[in-house]
Amino acid sequence: MLKVGITGGIGSGKTTLTKWLENHGVVIVDADAASRTVVEPGKPALKEIAHQFGSHFVGADGQLDRAAMRELVFSNQEKRLALEAITHPRIRKELLSQLDRALGPYVVLSSPILFESGQSQMVDLSVVVDVPEALQIKRVISRDKNRVELIRKIMATQLDRQSRLIKADIVIDNSKSVSKLHQLAA
């Protein structure tokens, strides 16, 4: 089975691409979804996060307050690394499990930090969905209503655009319309 990794900076359109692929029958293993799975209520990672960072990061509903955690870790590298030490090994294990269970001629691993996390070692081919940084910021503001300052902090923790492009086996320019993205991916 061919394992294809799809990545790109925040707001690049990798989720738009993977949703389109999924609608066409491609099995998608999503690192963002895995990151939510490993911190579900009752899971050891959530308990460790509450112990390490404080119970106020867990809401009354038992869910991780992802917005509060995002603000903290993208403002403090030490805290981000501490969170990653708790979550990344579990995310990796979850991703490997899902990749092993996937059926078909190929499977796609969608990850915003494919190269940074070493997840690129799990795939045979890497695809980068690419857009200029200014467009990334514009899209994320529109989509998430995040502040530019937070978006830039998130971008600073991701591999820079040039380095992503160098590491890519295939680059898909997503600076045009969604229909153009679909044409390029087909």
Side-chain angles (χ1 to χ4, degrees), residues 24-44:
H24 286 80
V26 176
V27 175
I28 306 295
V29 174
D30 187 329
D32 283 337
S35 74
R36 288 187 290 279
T37 298
V38 302
V39 296
E40 288 175 345
K43 297 274 178 102

Side-chain angles (χ1 to χ4, degrees), residues 59-159:
D61 61 356
Q63 299 283 336
L64 177 66
D65 183 343
R66 297 177 71 81
M69 185 58 67
R70 186 179 307 114
E71 285 285 340
L72 174 69
V73 300
F74 288 115
S75 297
N76 183 317
Q77 181 176 344
E78 183 178 310
K79 301 286 186 186
R80 182 176 54 82
L81 294 174
L83 178 65
E84 289 174 358
I86 294 169
T87 59
H88 280 203
R90 290 173 169 100
I91 293 167
R92 183 176 186 81
K93 184 177 177 182
E94 177 68 23
L95 293 175
L96 286 170
S97 173
Q98 289 183 37
L99 288 168
D100 287 345
R101 292 190 317 263
L103 301 174
Y106 61 96
V107 62
V108 168
L109 170 58
S110 175
S111 175
I113 55 170
L114 186 75
F115 299 122
E116 301 90 327
S117 65
Q119 294 168 2
S120 59
Q121 296 170 355
M122 298 179 195
V123 300
D124 304 306
L125 182 72
S126 61
V127 176
V128 169
V129 180
D130 182 58
V131 297
E133 291 178 1
L135 186 53
Q136 284 179 264
I137 292 169
K138 181 179 175 184
R139 286 180 177 173
V140 177
I141 288 171
S142 175
R143 179 188 74 197
D144 299 340
K145 311 299 185 233
N146 284 337
R147 299 179 335 274
V148 172
E149 176 184 292
L150 177 60
I151 297 166
R152 288 193 187 281
K153 286 179 181 178
I154 293 169
M155 289 171 66
T157 66
Q158 295 181 331
L159 198 60

Side-chain angles (χ1 to χ4, degrees), residues 3-58:
K3 296 175 183 169
V4 178
I6 295 181
T7 193
I10 186 171
S12 65
K14 67 190 160 300
T15 302
T16 301
L17 175 58
T18 56
K19 284 182 192 271
W20 182 81
L21 291 169
E22 189 172 43
N23 288 338
H24 286 80
V26 176
V27 175
I28 306 295
V29 174
D30 187 329
D32 283 337
S35 74
R36 288 187 290 279
T37 298
V38 302
V39 296
E40 288 175 345
K43 297 274 178 102
L46 185 60
K47 291 176 184 173
E48 282 186 48
I49 290 168
H51 177 76
Q52 174 94 16
F53 296 97
S55 60
H56 60 280
F57 284 100
V58 179

